[in-house]
C-alpha cells in the first residue's frame, strides 16, 4: 500500500503536457525515425524560426542545454580567461558554471528583498577593470530589472547577457525577457514553461555576429564539414526535440495564462494565512510563474510536513552560490549577501503547472495553513 495520501498534489505534472501534444508530435517522430533524421533538419530550423519570432529577436540558435547556452552566449561576446562576470547570488549554479567553464570569474551580488532578483544598486560597486559582462537572471518566471542595468553596462562598456531559462513568455514594460540585452540564453529542460523531452537550450540575439559565432562554435567550430575555423564544441538541439518544442510553443501563451490564473488564485487563498509571505510582481511585469515561491519561517519543518501530507514542494535554491563548496575558493563568507541568505532559509516553491486545478490549490493552501507558523508572521522590509 502506498504511503502517499490520496489527496496528494504533485509539484509538477509533465505527463498532462505530453498527453496534450502527443497527437501532433508522435507522427512527426515516427517520420523522423523512419528517415533516421536526427541531426539538424527542417524541424530544428522551423523551431528556431518560430521561437525567434515569439521572443522578438532576429536569431535563435538551438543548442544542447541551458548551461551550454549561457557559456556560448558569454563566449560570443568575447568573455574568456581572466574576465569577471557579475551574477546574482540567488540563482541555479549553471549561471555561474558557464562563466567558470570558460575561465572567467563569477562576481556575486545580492538580490532585492521584494522579488529576489539581481539588485542593480549592488552591481556598480563590484565593477573592476576586469569586468566584462552582467548576467541578469529572469528568476521564477519574472523579468529582471535589465532597464536599470543597461545604463551601468553602457558606462563601463559591459555586455548584458540574459539568463532567460525560467522566463519563456515573460515580459516587462521594456520588452520581453530574452530580447533585452545583447544576447540571451534559455533552457528547455523538461520542467521549464517551454520544456523539451530531455535536455535542450537556445541562444537568442539580434546581433548577426553573435549568432554566427554561436552556430560555428557549437558545431565544432565549423560551418562546412571538416573545415574548422576554431576549436569549438558539440552542442546541438536534437532534431527529435524540435517537433515537441514546436507543439508546446503553440500552447505556451495559453499555458502561461493558466499559470497566471493559478498564481492569482494562490494569492487569494493565501491572503488569510498567517506566517506565509507570498511573492510580489514588479510594476510593469507580466510574469509567467515558472515557480510560485513563498517565504515561511521554519522552512525545513514546513517542507517536511507538507511532503508527509502528500503535497509536492520544492526549494529554489537552498544555498546561495557564494556558500556552496564549488565557489568556496572565491573568498566569500556567510553574511556577505544578507538578503539572499535570509531568503534561502525561508523560500518554498508550491505546486505550479498549467494543469493545476483549483481543488488542488485549495488542498495545498489548506495543508500549508496547518503547518505554517502563525505566531511568527513574515514581515516585509520597509
Amino acid at each position: 500500500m502506498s504511503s502517499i495520501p490520496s489527496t496528494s498534489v504533485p509539484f509538477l505534472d509533465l505527463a498532462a503536457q505530453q498527453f496534450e501534444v502527443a497527437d501532433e508530435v508522435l507522427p512527426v517522430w515516427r517520420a523522423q525515425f523512419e528517415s533516421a533524421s536526427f541531426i539538424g533538419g527542417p524541424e530544428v530550423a522551423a523551431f528556431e524560426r518560430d521561437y525567434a519570432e515569439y521572443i522578438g529577436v532576429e536569431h535563435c540558435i538551438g543548442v544542447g542545454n541551458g548551461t551550454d547556452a549561457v557559456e556560448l552566449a558569454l563566449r560570443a561576446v568575447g568573455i574568456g580567461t581572466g574576465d569577471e562576470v557579475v551574477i546574482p547570488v540567488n540563482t541555479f549554479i549553471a549561471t555561474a558554471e558557464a562563466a567558470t567553464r570558460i575561465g572567467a570569474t563569477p562576481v556575486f551580488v545580492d538580490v532585492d528583498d521584494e522579488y529576489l532578483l539581481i539588485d542593480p544598486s549592488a552591481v556598480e560597486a563590484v565593477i573592476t577593470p576586469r569586468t566584462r559582462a552582467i548576467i541578469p537572471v529572469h528568476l521564477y518566471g519574472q523579468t529582471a530589472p535589465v532597464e536599470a542595468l543597461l545604463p551601468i553596462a553602457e558606462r563601463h562598456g559591459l555586455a548584458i547577457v540574459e539568463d532567460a531559462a525560467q522566463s519563456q513568455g515573460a515580459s516587462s514594460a521594456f520588452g520581453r525577457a530574452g530580447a533585452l540585452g545583447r544576447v540571451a540564453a534559455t533552457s528547455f529542460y523538461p520542467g521549464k514553461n517551454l520544456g523539451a523531452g530531455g535536455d535542450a537550450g537556445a541562444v537568442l540575439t539580434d546581433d548577426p555576429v553573435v549568432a554566427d559565432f554561436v552556430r560555428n562554435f557549437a558545431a565544432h567550430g565549423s560551418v562546412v564539414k571538416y573545415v574548422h575555423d576554431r576549436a569549438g564544441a558539440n552542442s546541438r538541439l536534437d532534431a527529435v526535440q524540435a517537433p515537441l518544442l514546436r507543439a508546446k510553443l503553440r500552447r505556451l501563451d495559453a499555458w502561461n495564462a493558466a499559470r497566471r490564473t493559478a498564481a492569482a488564485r494562490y494569492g487569494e487563498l493565501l491572503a488569510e494565512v498567517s506566517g506565509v509571505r507570498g511573492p510580489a510582481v514588479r510594476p510593469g511585469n507580466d510574469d509567467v510563474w515558472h515557480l510560485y515561491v513563498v517565504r515561511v519561517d521554519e522552512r525545513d519543518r514546513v517542507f517536511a510536513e507538507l511532503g508527509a501530507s502528500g503535497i509536492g514542494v520544492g526549494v529554489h535554491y537552498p544555498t546561495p552560490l557564494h556558500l556552496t563548496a564549488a565557489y568556496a575558493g572565491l573568498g566569500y563568507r556567510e553574511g556577505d549577501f544578507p538578503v539572499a541568505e535570509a531568503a534561502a532559509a525561508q523560500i518554498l516553491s508550491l505546486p505550479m503547472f498549467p494543469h493545476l486545478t483549483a481543488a488542488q490549490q485549495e488542498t495545498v493552501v489548506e495543508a500549508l495553513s496547518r503547518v505554517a507558523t502563525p505566531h511568527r508572521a513574515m514581515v516585509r522590509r520597509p
Side-chain angles (χ1 to χ4, degrees):
M1 179 179 294
S2 173
S3 60
I4 301 297
S6 60
T7 55
S8 63
V9 179
F11 178 68
L12 184 62
D13 185 357
L14 293 181
Q17 291 186 21
Q18 310 299 69
F19 180 80
E20 189 172 332
V21 302
D23 288 345
E24 292 179 31
V25 176
L26 291 177
V28 184
W29 276 351
R30 179 177 293 276
Q32 287 179 316
F33 274 74
E34 289 175 351
S35 65
S37 177
F38 301 126
I39 303 296
E43 285 292 325
V44 171
F47 171 71
E48 291 177 336
R49 181 182 63 248
D50 293 347
Y51 196 63
E53 181 179 352
Y54 179 80
I55 295 298
V57 295
E58 290 295 321
H59 306 279
C60 169
I61 305 95
V63 299
N65 56 70
T67 309
D68 283 0
V70 180
E71 177 184 335
L72 289 163
L74 290 170
R75 286 184 181 276
V77 296
I79 309 303
T81 302
D83 294 331
E84 294 179 348
V85 179
V86 180
I87 298 171
V89 75
N90 179 40
T91 184
F92 183 55
I93 195 171
T95 313
E97 274 180 330
T100 303
R101 280 165 45 168
I102 59 177
T105 300
V107 175
F108 297 128
V109 293
D110 212 346
V111 294
D112 70 86
D113 183 61
E114 193 73 7
Y115 314 108
L116 302 182
L117 297 169
I118 188 170
D119 184 354
S121 67
V123 171
E124 196 141 21
V126 302
I127 293 174
T128 75
R130 294 171 59 193
T131 308
R132 296 288 305 282
I134 305 169
I135 305 183
V137 180
H138 302 306
L139 201 66
Y140 306 152
Q142 306 172 90
T143 303
V146 178
E147 72 282 356
L149 298 172
L150 283 170
I152 300 172
E154 290 172 2
R155 281 197 298 274
H156 296 277
L158 310 179
I160 296 288
V161 178
E162 300 171 73
D163 183 337
Q166 298 187 7
S167 63
Q168 292 97 350
S171 64
S172 71
F174 301 89
R176 179 156 279 188
L180 299 171
R182 185 176 177 193
V183 62
T186 195
S187 167
F188 303 124
Y189 183 79
K192 305 301 186 186
N193 289 43
L194 180 60
D199 271 325
V203 177
L204 307 160
T205 186
D206 282 324
D207 188 332
V209 175
V210 168
D212 288 347
F213 176 91
V214 172
R215 286 198 184 279
N216 180 282
F217 195 95
H220 298 288
S222 173
V223 291
V224 176
K225 192 171 184 178
Y226 301 134
V227 177
H228 304 276
D229 305 313
R230 55 175 59 86
N234 179 18
S235 185
R236 296 174 287 206
L237 175 65
D238 286 339
V240 294
Q241 301 295 355
L244 178 60
L245 288 168
R246 292 186 75 196
K248 288 186 174 184
L249 180 58
R250 288 189 281 270
R251 293 163 172 80
L252 182 58
D253 283 341
W255 285 352
N256 282 343
R259 288 173 181 268
R260 292 186 186 103
T261 297
R265 187 181 297 122
Y266 267 138
E268 294 171 359
L269 293 170
L270 289 168
E272 303 303 320
V273 178
S274 299
V276 179
R277 175 177 171 180
V281 176
R282 287 182 65 228
N285 263 21
D286 195 9
D287 296 346
V288 294
W289 300 99
H290 172 62
L291 297 168
Y292 190 90
V293 179
V294 300
R295 285 183 255 186
V296 296
D297 286 325
E298 300 179 26
R299 192 272 316 288
D300 291 344
R301 177 188 61 79
V302 173
F303 179 95
E305 292 186 15
L306 286 174
S309 298
I311 306 300
V313 286
V315 178
H316 300 84
Y317 297 97
T319 306
L321 293 185
H322 69 296
L323 298 180
T324 63
Y327 288 109
L330 294 181
Y332 294 106
R333 298 289 183 268
E334 187 172 352
D336 285 347
F337 304 110
V339 176
E341 291 173 31
Q346 299 172 326
I347 49 178
L348 184 72
S349 301
L350 303 184
M352 173 56 76
F353 48 92
H355 301 83
L356 185 67
T357 68
Q360 287 176 317
Q361 288 187 269
E362 290 167 3
T363 298
V364 171
V365 174
E366 193 278 331
L368 183 58
S369 68
R370 289 198 311 267
V371 302
T373 53
H375 61 288
R376 293 179 62 193
M378 304 297 295
V379 178
R380 292 182 183 271
R381 288 189 171 191

